[in-house]
Coordinates of all heavy atoms in Angstrom, one line a residue:
M1 N 100.7 -98.4 42.5 CA 101.3 -99.7 42.5 C 100.3 -100.7 42.4 O 99.3 -100.7 43.1 CB 102.1 -99.9 43.8 CG 102.8 -101.2 43.9 SD 103.8 -101.5 45.4 CE 104.6 -100.0 45.6
R2 N 100.5 -101.7 41.6 CA 99.6 -102.8 41.4 C 100.4 -104.1 41.7 O 101.6 -104.2 41.6 CB 99.2 -102.9 39.9 CG 98.3 -101.7 39.6 CD 98.2 -101.4 38.1 NE 97.4 -100.3 37.8 CZ 97.8 -99.0 37.8 NH1 99.1 -98.8 38.2 NH2 97.0 -98.0 37.5
E3 N 99.6 -105.1 42.2 CA 100.3 -106.3 42.8 C 99.5 -107.6 42.3 O 98.3 -107.5 42.0 CB 100.3 -106.3 44.3 CG 101.0 -105.1 44.9 CD 100.9 -105.1 46.4 OE1 100.1 -105.8 47.0 OE2 101.7 -104.3 47.0
F4 N 100.3 -108.7 42.3 CA 99.7 -110.0 42.1 C 100.7 -111.0 42.6 O 101.9 -110.7 42.9 CB 99.4 -110.3 40.6 CG 100.5 -110.2 39.6 CD1 101.2 -111.4 39.3 CD2 100.9 -109.0 39.0 CE1 102.3 -111.4 38.4 CE2 102.0 -109.0 38.1 CZ 102.6 -110.2 37.8
D5 N 100.3 -112.2 42.8 CA 101.1 -113.3 43.4 C 101.5 -114.3 42.3 O 100.7 -114.6 41.4 CB 100.3 -114.0 44.5 CG 100.1 -113.2 45.8 OD1 101.0 -112.3 46.0 OD2 99.2 -113.5 46.5
I6 N 102.7 -114.8 42.5 CA 103.2 -115.8 41.6 C 103.8 -117.0 42.4 O 104.1 -116.8 43.6 CB 104.3 -115.3 40.6 CG1 105.5 -114.7 41.3 CG2 103.7 -114.3 39.6 CD1 106.7 -114.4 40.5
I7 N 104.0 -118.1 41.8 CA 104.6 -119.3 42.3 C 105.8 -119.7 41.4 O 105.5 -119.9 40.2 CB 103.6 -120.4 42.5 CG1 102.6 -120.1 43.5 CG2 104.4 -121.7 43.0 CD1 101.5 -121.1 43.7
L8 N 107.0 -119.7 42.0 CA 108.1 -120.1 41.2 C 108.7 -121.4 41.9 O 109.1 -121.3 43.1 CB 109.2 -119.0 41.2 CG 108.7 -117.7 40.5 CD1 109.7 -116.6 40.7 CD2 108.4 -117.9 39.1
R9 N 108.7 -122.5 41.2 CA 109.1 -123.8 41.8 C 110.4 -124.3 41.4 O 110.9 -125.3 41.9 CB 108.0 -124.8 41.5 CG 106.6 -124.4 42.0 CD 105.7 -125.6 41.9 NE 104.3 -125.2 42.2 CZ 103.8 -125.1 43.4 NH1 104.5 -125.4 44.5 NH2 102.5 -124.8 43.6
S10 N 111.1 -123.6 40.5 CA 112.4 -124.1 40.0 C 113.3 -123.0 39.6 O 112.8 -121.9 39.4 CB 112.2 -125.1 38.8 OG 111.8 -124.4 37.7
L11 N 114.6 -123.3 39.5 CA 115.6 -122.4 39.0 C 115.2 -121.9 37.6 O 115.3 -120.7 37.3 CB 116.9 -123.0 39.0 CG 118.1 -122.2 38.3 CD1 118.3 -120.9 39.1 CD2 119.3 -123.0 38.3
R12 N 114.7 -122.8 36.8 CA 114.3 -122.4 35.4 C 113.2 -121.4 35.4 O 113.1 -120.4 34.6 CB 113.9 -123.6 34.6 CG 113.4 -123.3 33.2 CD 113.2 -124.5 32.4 NE 114.5 -125.0 32.0 CZ 114.7 -126.2 31.4 NH1 113.7 -127.0 31.2 NH2 115.8 -126.5 30.9
Q13 N 112.2 -121.6 36.3 CA 111.1 -120.6 36.4 C 111.5 -119.3 36.9 O 111.1 -118.2 36.4 CB 110.0 -121.2 37.3 CG 109.2 -122.3 36.7 CD 108.0 -122.7 37.5 OE1 108.1 -122.8 38.7 NE2 106.9 -123.1 36.9
V14 N 112.5 -119.3 37.9 CA 113.0 -118.0 38.4 C 113.7 -117.3 37.2 O 113.5 -116.1 37.0 CB 114.0 -118.2 39.6 CG1 114.7 -116.9 39.9 CG2 113.2 -118.8 40.7
Q15 N 114.5 -118.0 36.5 CA 115.2 -117.4 35.3 C 114.2 -116.9 34.3 O 114.4 -115.7 33.8 CB 116.2 -118.4 34.7 CG 117.4 -118.7 35.5 CD 118.2 -119.8 35.0 OE1 117.7 -120.8 34.4 NE2 119.5 -119.7 35.0
A16 N 113.2 -117.6 34.0 CA 112.2 -117.2 33.0 C 111.5 -116.0 33.4 O 111.2 -115.1 32.6 CB 111.2 -118.4 32.7
F17 N 111.1 -115.9 34.7 CA 110.4 -114.7 35.2 C 111.3 -113.5 35.1 O 110.9 -112.4 34.7 CB 109.9 -114.9 36.7 CG 109.2 -113.7 37.2 CD1 107.9 -113.5 36.9 CD2 109.9 -112.7 37.9 CE1 107.2 -112.3 37.3 CE2 109.2 -111.6 38.3 CZ 107.9 -111.4 38.0
V18 N 112.6 -113.6 35.5 CA 113.5 -112.5 35.5 C 113.7 -112.0 34.0 O 113.7 -110.8 33.8 CB 114.9 -112.8 36.1 CG1 115.9 -111.8 35.9 CG2 114.7 -113.0 37.6
E19 N 113.8 -112.9 33.1 CA 113.9 -112.6 31.7 C 112.7 -111.8 31.2 O 112.8 -110.8 30.5 CB 114.1 -113.8 30.8 CG 115.5 -114.4 31.0 CD 115.6 -115.8 30.3 OE1 114.7 -116.2 29.5 OE2 116.7 -116.4 30.5
L20 N 111.5 -112.2 31.7 CA 110.3 -111.5 31.3 C 110.3 -110.1 32.0 O 109.9 -109.1 31.3 CB 109.1 -112.3 31.8 CG 107.7 -111.7 31.5 CD1 107.5 -111.6 30.0 CD2 106.7 -112.6 32.1
A21 N 110.7 -110.0 33.2 CA 110.7 -108.7 33.9 C 111.7 -107.8 33.3 O 111.5 -106.6 33.2 CB 111.1 -109.0 35.4
M22 N 112.9 -108.3 32.8 CA 113.9 -107.4 32.3 C 113.5 -106.7 31.1 O 114.1 -105.6 30.8 CB 115.2 -108.3 32.0 CG 115.9 -108.7 33.3 SD 117.3 -109.7 33.0 CE 118.4 -108.6 32.1
I23 N 112.6 -107.2 30.3 CA 112.2 -106.5 29.1 C 111.1 -105.5 29.3 O 110.7 -104.8 28.4 CB 111.8 -107.5 28.0 CG1 110.6 -108.3 28.4 CG2 113.0 -108.4 27.6 CD1 110.1 -109.2 27.3
Q24 N 110.6 -105.4 30.5 CA 109.6 -104.4 30.8 C 110.2 -103.0 31.1 O 111.3 -102.9 31.7 CB 108.8 -104.8 32.1 CG 108.2 -106.2 32.0 CD 107.4 -106.5 30.7 OE1 106.6 -105.7 30.3 NE2 107.7 -107.6 30.0
P25 N 109.6 -101.9 30.7 CA 110.1 -100.6 30.8 C 109.8 -99.9 32.2 O 110.0 -98.8 32.4 CB 109.5 -99.8 29.7 CG 108.1 -100.5 29.5 CD 108.4 -101.9 29.8
F26 N 109.2 -100.7 33.1 CA 108.8 -100.1 34.4 C 109.4 -101.0 35.5 O 110.0 -102.0 35.3 CB 107.3 -100.1 34.5 CG 106.6 -101.4 34.0 CD1 106.6 -102.5 34.8 CD2 106.1 -101.4 32.7 CE1 106.0 -103.7 34.4 CE2 105.5 -102.6 32.3 CZ 105.4 -103.7 33.1
D27 N 109.3 -100.4 36.7 CA 109.9 -101.1 37.9 C 109.1 -102.3 38.4 O 107.8 -102.2 38.4 CB 110.1 -100.1 39.1 CG 111.1 -99.1 38.8 OD1 112.0 -99.3 38.0 OD2 111.0 -98.0 39.5
I28 N 109.7 -103.4 38.7 CA 109.1 -104.6 39.2 C 109.8 -105.0 40.5 O 111.1 -105.1 40.5 CB 109.1 -105.7 38.2 CG1 108.4 -105.3 36.9 CG2 108.6 -107.0 38.8 CD1 108.6 -106.2 35.7
S29 N 109.1 -105.2 41.6 CA 109.7 -105.7 42.8 C 109.0 -107.0 43.1 O 107.8 -107.2 42.9 CB 109.4 -104.7 44.0 OG 110.0 -103.5 43.7
V30 N 109.8 -107.9 43.7 CA 109.2 -109.3 44.1 C 109.7 -109.5 45.5 O 110.8 -109.2 45.9 CB 109.8 -110.4 43.1 CG1 109.2 -111.7 43.5 CG2 109.5 -110.0 41.7
G31 N 108.7 -110.1 46.3 CA 109.1 -110.3 47.7 C 108.1 -111.1 48.5 O 107.1 -111.5 48.0
N32 N 108.5 -111.3 49.7 CA 107.6 -111.9 50.7 C 108.0 -111.5 52.1 O 109.2 -111.2 52.3 CB 107.6 -113.5 50.5 CG 109.0 -114.1 50.4 OD1 109.9 -113.5 50.9 ND2 109.0 -115.2 49.9
E33 N 107.1 -111.6 53.0 CA 107.4 -111.2 54.4 C 108.2 -109.9 54.6 O 109.1 -109.9 55.4 CB 108.1 -112.4 55.1 CG 107.3 -113.7 55.1 CD 108.0 -114.8 55.8 OE1 108.9 -114.5 56.7 OE2 107.7 -115.9 55.5
G34 N 107.8 -108.9 53.9 CA 108.4 -107.6 54.0 C 109.7 -107.4 53.3 O 110.3 -106.3 53.3
Q35 N 110.3 -108.4 52.7 CA 111.5 -108.3 52.0 C 111.2 -108.2 50.5 O 110.7 -109.2 49.9 CB 112.4 -109.5 52.2 CG 113.7 -109.5 51.4 CD 114.5 -110.8 51.5 OE1 114.0 -111.8 52.0 NE2 115.7 -110.8 50.9
Y36 N 111.5 -107.1 49.8 CA 111.2 -107.0 48.4 C 112.6 -106.6 47.7 O 113.3 -105.8 48.2 CB 110.2 -105.9 48.1 CG 108.8 -106.4 48.4 CD1 108.3 -106.4 49.7 CD2 108.1 -106.9 47.4 CE1 107.0 -106.9 49.9 CE2 106.8 -107.4 47.6 CZ 106.3 -107.4 48.9 OH 105.0 -107.9 49.1
I37 N 112.8 -107.2 46.6 CA 114.0 -107.0 45.8 C 113.6 -106.7 44.3 O 112.4 -106.8 43.9 CB 114.9 -108.2 45.8 CG1 114.2 -109.5 45.4 CG2 115.5 -108.4 47.2 CD1 114.3 -109.8 44.0
N38 N 114.5 -106.2 43.6 CA 114.3 -105.9 42.2 C 114.0 -107.2 41.4 O 114.8 -108.1 41.4 CB 115.6 -105.2 41.6 CG 115.5 -104.8 40.2 OD1 114.6 -105.1 39.5 ND2 116.4 -104.0 39.8
G39 N 112.9 -107.2 40.8 CA 112.5 -108.4 40.0 C 113.3 -108.6 38.8 O 113.1 -109.7 38.1
K40 N 114.2 -107.7 38.4 CA 115.0 -107.8 37.3 C 116.4 -108.3 37.6 O 117.3 -108.4 36.8 CB 115.1 -106.5 36.5 CG 113.7 -106.0 36.0 CD 113.8 -104.6 35.4 CE 112.4 -104.2 35.0 NZ 112.5 -102.9 34.2
D41 N 116.7 -108.5 38.9 CA 118.0 -108.9 39.4 C 118.0 -110.4 39.8 O 117.5 -110.8 40.8 CB 118.3 -108.1 40.7 CG 119.6 -108.5 41.4 OD1 120.4 -109.2 40.8 OD2 119.8 -108.0 42.5
L42 N 118.6 -111.2 38.9 CA 118.6 -112.6 39.0 C 119.2 -113.1 40.4 O 118.7 -113.9 41.1 CB 119.3 -113.3 37.9 CG 119.3 -114.8 37.9 CD1 117.9 -115.4 37.8 CD2 120.1 -115.4 36.7
M43 N 120.3 -112.5 40.7 CA 121.0 -112.9 42.0 C 120.1 -112.5 43.2 O 120.0 -113.3 44.1 CB 122.4 -112.2 42.1 CG 123.4 -112.7 41.1 SD 123.6 -114.5 41.0 CE 124.4 -114.8 42.6
G44 N 119.5 -111.4 43.2 CA 118.6 -111.0 44.2 C 117.4 -111.9 44.3 O 116.9 -112.2 45.5
M45 N 116.9 -112.4 43.2 CA 115.8 -113.3 43.2 C 116.1 -114.6 43.9 O 115.2 -115.2 44.5 CB 115.3 -113.5 41.8 CG 114.7 -112.3 41.1 SD 113.0 -112.0 41.7 CE 112.1 -113.3 41.0
F46 N 117.3 -115.0 43.9 CA 117.7 -116.2 44.6 C 117.6 -116.1 46.1 O 117.7 -117.1 46.8 CB 119.1 -116.7 44.2 CG 119.2 -117.1 42.8 CD1 120.2 -116.8 42.0 CD2 118.2 -118.0 42.2 CE1 120.3 -117.2 40.7 CE2 118.3 -118.4 40.9 CZ 119.4 -118.0 40.1
S47 N 117.5 -114.9 46.7 CA 117.5 -114.7 48.1 C 116.1 -114.9 48.7 O 115.9 -114.9 49.9 CB 118.0 -113.3 48.5 OG 117.2 -112.3 48.0
L48 N 115.1 -115.0 47.8 CA 113.7 -115.1 48.3 C 113.4 -116.5 48.7 O 113.9 -117.5 48.2 CB 112.7 -114.6 47.3 CG 112.8 -113.1 46.9 CD1 111.9 -112.8 45.8 CD2 112.5 -112.3 48.1
D49 N 112.3 -116.6 49.6 CA 111.8 -117.9 50.0 C 110.7 -118.3 49.0 O 109.7 -117.6 48.9 CB 111.3 -117.8 51.4 CG 110.6 -119.0 51.9 OD1 110.7 -120.1 51.3 OD2 109.9 -119.0 53.0
Y50 N 110.8 -119.4 48.3 CA 109.9 -119.8 47.3 C 109.0 -121.0 47.8 O 108.4 -121.7 47.0 CB 110.6 -120.2 46.0 CG 111.2 -119.0 45.3 CD1 112.5 -118.8 45.3 CD2 110.4 -118.1 44.7 CE1 113.1 -117.7 44.8 CE2 110.9 -116.9 44.1 CZ 112.3 -116.7 44.1 OH 112.8 -115.6 43.6
S51 N 108.9 -121.2 49.1 CA 108.1 -122.3 49.6 C 106.6 -122.0 49.5 O 105.8 -122.9 49.6 CB 108.5 -122.5 51.1 OG 108.2 -121.4 51.9
G52 N 106.3 -120.8 49.2 CA 104.9 -120.3 49.0 C 104.9 -119.3 47.9 O 105.9 -119.0 47.3
P53 N 103.7 -118.7 47.7 CA 103.7 -117.6 46.7 C 104.5 -116.4 47.1 O 104.7 -116.2 48.2 CB 102.2 -117.2 46.6 CG 101.5 -118.4 47.3 CD 102.4 -119.0 48.2
V54 N 105.0 -115.7 46.1 CA 105.6 -114.4 46.3 C 104.8 -113.3 45.6 O 104.1 -113.5 44.7 CB 107.1 -114.4 45.8 CG1 108.0 -115.3 46.6 CG2 107.2 -114.8 44.3
R55 N 104.9 -112.1 46.2 CA 104.1 -111.0 45.7 C 105.0 -110.2 44.7 O 106.1 -109.9 44.9 CB 103.8 -110.1 46.9 CG 103.2 -108.8 46.6 CD 101.7 -108.7 46.3 NE 100.8 -109.7 46.8 CZ 99.5 -109.5 46.9 NH1 99.0 -108.4 46.7 NH2 98.8 -110.5 47.2
V56 N 104.3 -109.8 43.6 CA 104.9 -109.0 42.6 C 104.3 -107.6 42.6 O 103.1 -107.5 42.6 CB 104.8 -109.6 41.1 CG1 105.3 -108.7 40.1 CG2 105.3 -111.0 41.1
R57 N 105.1 -106.6 42.7 CA 104.7 -105.2 42.8 C 105.1 -104.5 41.5 O 106.3 -104.5 41.2 CB 105.2 -104.5 44.0 CG 104.6 -104.9 45.3 CD 105.2 -104.2 46.5 NE 104.5 -104.6 47.7 CZ 104.9 -104.2 48.9 NH1 106.0 -103.4 49.0 NH2 104.3 -104.5 49.9
V58 N 104.2 -103.9 40.8 CA 104.5 -103.3 39.5 C 104.2 -101.8 39.5 O 103.1 -101.4 40.0 CB 103.7 -104.0 38.4 CG1 104.0 -103.3 37.1 CG2 104.0 -105.5 38.4
L59 N 105.1 -100.9 39.1 CA 104.9 -99.5 39.0 C 104.7 -99.2 37.5 O 105.7 -99.0 36.8 CB 106.0 -98.7 39.6 CG 106.2 -98.8 41.1 CD1 107.5 -98.1 41.5 CD2 105.0 -98.1 41.8
S60 N 103.4 -99.2 37.1 CA 103.2 -99.0 35.6 C 101.8 -98.5 35.4 O 101.0 -98.4 36.4 CB 103.3 -100.4 34.9 OG 102.2 -101.2 35.3
S61 N 101.5 -98.2 34.2 CA 100.1 -97.8 33.8 C 99.2 -99.1 33.9 O 99.7 -100.2 33.9 CB 100.1 -97.3 32.4 OG 100.3 -98.3 31.5
P62 N 97.9 -98.9 34.0 CA 97.0 -100.1 34.1 C 97.2 -101.0 32.8 O 97.2 -102.2 33.0 CB 95.6 -99.5 34.1 CG 95.8 -98.1 34.7 CD 97.2 -97.6 34.2
E63 N 97.4 -100.4 31.7 CA 97.5 -101.2 30.4 C 98.8 -102.0 30.5 O 98.8 -103.2 30.1 CB 97.5 -100.2 29.2 CG 96.2 -99.5 29.0 CD 96.1 -98.2 29.8 OE1 97.1 -97.8 30.5 OE2 94.9 -97.7 29.9
E64 N 99.9 -101.4 30.9 CA 101.2 -102.1 31.0 C 101.1 -103.2 32.1 O 101.6 -104.3 31.9 CB 102.3 -101.2 31.4 CG 102.7 -100.2 30.4 CD 103.7 -99.1 30.9 OE1 103.5 -98.7 32.0 OE2 104.6 -98.8 30.1
F65 N 100.4 -102.9 33.2 CA 100.2 -103.9 34.2 C 99.5 -105.2 33.7 O 100.0 -106.3 33.9 CB 99.5 -103.4 35.4 CG 99.1 -104.4 36.4 CD1 100.0 -104.9 37.3 CD2 97.8 -104.9 36.5 CE1 99.7 -105.9 38.2 CE2 97.4 -105.9 37.4 CZ 98.4 -106.4 38.3
F66 N 98.4 -104.9 33.1 CA 97.6 -106.1 32.6 C 98.3 -106.9 31.5 O 98.2 -108.1 31.4 CB 96.2 -105.6 32.2 CG 95.3 -105.2 33.3 CD1 94.9 -103.9 33.5 CD2 95.0 -106.1 34.3 CE1 94.1 -103.5 34.6 CE2 94.2 -105.8 35.4 CZ 93.8 -104.5 35.5
A67 N 99.1 -106.2 30.7 CA 99.9 -106.9 29.6 C 100.9 -107.7 30.3 O 101.2 -108.9 29.9 CB 100.5 -105.8 28.7
F68 N 101.6 -107.1 31.3 CA 102.7 -107.9 32.0 C 102.1 -109.1 32.7 O 102.6 -110.2 32.7 CB 103.4 -107.0 32.9 CG 104.5 -107.7 33.8 CD1 105.5 -108.4 33.2 CD2 104.4 -107.7 35.1 CE1 106.5 -109.0 33.9 CE2 105.3 -108.3 35.9 CZ 106.4 -109.0 35.3
R69 N 101.0 -108.8 33.4 CA 100.4 -109.9 34.2 C 99.9 -111.0 33.2 O 100.1 -112.2 33.5 CB 99.2 -109.4 35.0 CG 98.6 -110.4 35.9 CD 97.5 -109.7 36.8 NE 96.9 -110.6 37.8 CZ 96.0 -111.5 37.5 NH1 95.4 -111.6 36.3 NH2 95.5 -112.3 38.5
S70 N 99.4 -110.7 32.1 CA 99.0 -111.7 31.1 C 100.3 -112.5 30.6 O 100.2 -113.7 30.4 CB 98.3 -111.1 29.9 OG 97.1 -110.6 30.3
S71 N 101.4 -111.8 30.4 CA 102.6 -112.5 29.9 C 103.2 -113.3 31.0 O 103.9 -114.3 30.7 CB 103.6 -111.5 29.3 OG 104.0 -110.6 30.4
A72 N 102.9 -113.1 32.3 CA 103.4 -113.9 33.4 C 102.3 -114.9 33.8 O 102.5 -115.5 34.9 CB 103.7 -112.9 34.5
A73 N 101.3 -115.2 33.0 CA 100.2 -116.1 33.4 C 100.7 -117.4 33.9 O 100.1 -118.0 34.8 CB 99.2 -116.2 32.3
Q74 N 101.8 -117.9 33.3 CA 102.2 -119.3 33.7 C 102.7 -119.3 35.1 O 102.8 -120.4 35.7 CB 103.4 -119.7 32.7 CG 104.6 -118.8 32.8 CD 105.7 -119.2 31.9 OE1 105.8 -120.3 31.5 NE2 106.5 -118.2 31.4
F75 N 103.0 -118.2 35.7 CA 103.5 -118.1 37.1 C 102.5 -117.8 38.1 O 102.8 -117.8 39.3 CB 104.7 -117.1 37.2 CG 105.7 -117.3 36.2 CD1 106.0 -116.4 35.2 CD2 106.5 -118.5 36.2 CE1 107.0 -116.5 34.3 CE2 107.5 -118.7 35.2 CZ 107.7 -117.7 34.3
L76 N 101.3 -117.4 37.7 CA 100.3 -116.9 38.6 C 99.9 -117.9 39.7 O 99.8 -119.1 39.4 CB 99.0 -116.4 37.9 CG 99.2 -115.2 37.0 CD1 97.9 -114.9 36.2 CD2 99.6 -114.0 37.8
A77 N 99.7 -117.4 40.9 CA 99.4 -118.3 42.0 C 97.9 -118.6 42.0 O 97.1 -117.9 41.5 CB 99.7 -117.6 43.3

């Protein structure tokens, strides 16, 4: 499992992240304070606290991870 932190400050950013996550062929979890949800689930994403960074957990190959992280660069903390 590989991880990185993101900051989502608006509904539009949450939607954009979920759209990016949905096209990935691997599992993505997003969470904070021990609560992790499916990063491809828009409704679940609304349950998180966005007052600070959230952690993204990715189950992928190293190549897939770095490609995904690069495509999510606009959200990096």
